[in-house]
Amino acid sequence: MRRPGQAGAEQRARADFTGGVYGSLLAASVILGAGSLGDFPRAELIALLLLTGTVFWLAHVHAKLFGERLADRALNRREALGVCREEWPILRAVLPPVLAIALSPLLRLDMRGTIWLALCVAVVGQVGWSVRGARQAGASTRLVIVTASINLLLGLLIIAVKLFVKH
């Protein structure tokens, strides 16, 4: 039997897309770093994004399982898989920029254009994850706009770094 308020708490937990926002920021940062190195083969950039996303996903899974849960109780397989699913948006958010990089030759983009496309896709993903999470959590329209604006600003800051900081 559910306790009062439990359904709302479960809905908010399912609406937590923090990992998606984080994964999009991670992807944008990796793209920014790799793009500042000059020409970077697409396959290497894809591998770098996927490997970095996987490492951060695993780090978050580890932190939740061993940092939060084991202090109070023993770990079981069901709970471990649940945490893997909870943290999946971190890795999932890396996939659209990876796809943009993989498809960039079809758009006849050079590496510079590919970097810009992937960076923009990551920023759009970051805003999208924040809007999706806010809506599923039942946030007001005003709060959805605020979170979208803040995430857009963070993405634009990453783009500003790309424009103004040269190695």
Side-chain angles (χ1 to χ4, degrees):
M1 175 140 237
R2 285 190 175 157
R3 294 184 310 254
Q6 186 176 0
E10 288 173 5
Q11 180 182 356
R12 284 188 300 279
R14 284 192 304 273
D16 184 2
F17 292 101
T18 306
V21 171
Y22 181 76
S24 296
L25 274 167
L26 173 69
S29 299
V30 169
I31 293 163
L32 173 67
S36 68
L37 297 174
D39 280 345
F40 206 82
R42 284 176 179 85
E44 287 184 27
L45 183 53
I46 288 170
L48 184 61
L49 277 167
L50 290 173
L51 291 171
T52 304
T54 301
V55 167
F56 274 78
W57 172 70
L58 288 170
H60 276 252
V61 168
H62 176 267
K64 277 207 166 176
L65 288 175
F66 295 97
E68 294 177 9
R69 287 172 169 72
L70 283 186
D72 297 327
R73 60 189 179 279
L75 179 66
N76 63 53
R77 183 172 188 243
R78 182 174 166 224
E79 188 171 12
L81 291 174
V83 171
C84 289
R85 273 190 303 277
E86 285 174 26
E87 296 300 321
W88 179 247
I90 292 171
L91 189 53
R92 187 172 159 203
V94 172
L95 298 179
V98 163
L99 187 60
I101 295 164
L103 296 177
S104 66
L106 298 175
L107 301 172
R108 300 190 194 289
L109 294 176
D110 61 5
M111 205 51 209
R112 183 175 176 185
T114 298
I115 295 292
W116 278 107
L117 174 64
L119 186 56
C120 289
V121 167
V123 171
V124 167
Q126 176 186 334
V127 173
W129 279 104
S130 69
V131 167
R132 183 176 176 196
R135 281 190 173 159
Q136 278 196 282
S140 67
T141 301
R142 181 175 179 266
L143 189 55
V144 171
I145 292 169
V146 168
T147 190
S149 299
I150 290 170
N151 278 281
L152 180 58
L153 178 62
L154 290 171
L156 292 174
L157 286 172
I158 291 172
I159 290 173
V161 168
K162 172 79 173 128
L163 289 171
F164 298 112
V165 176
K166 306 282 183 192
H167 287 281

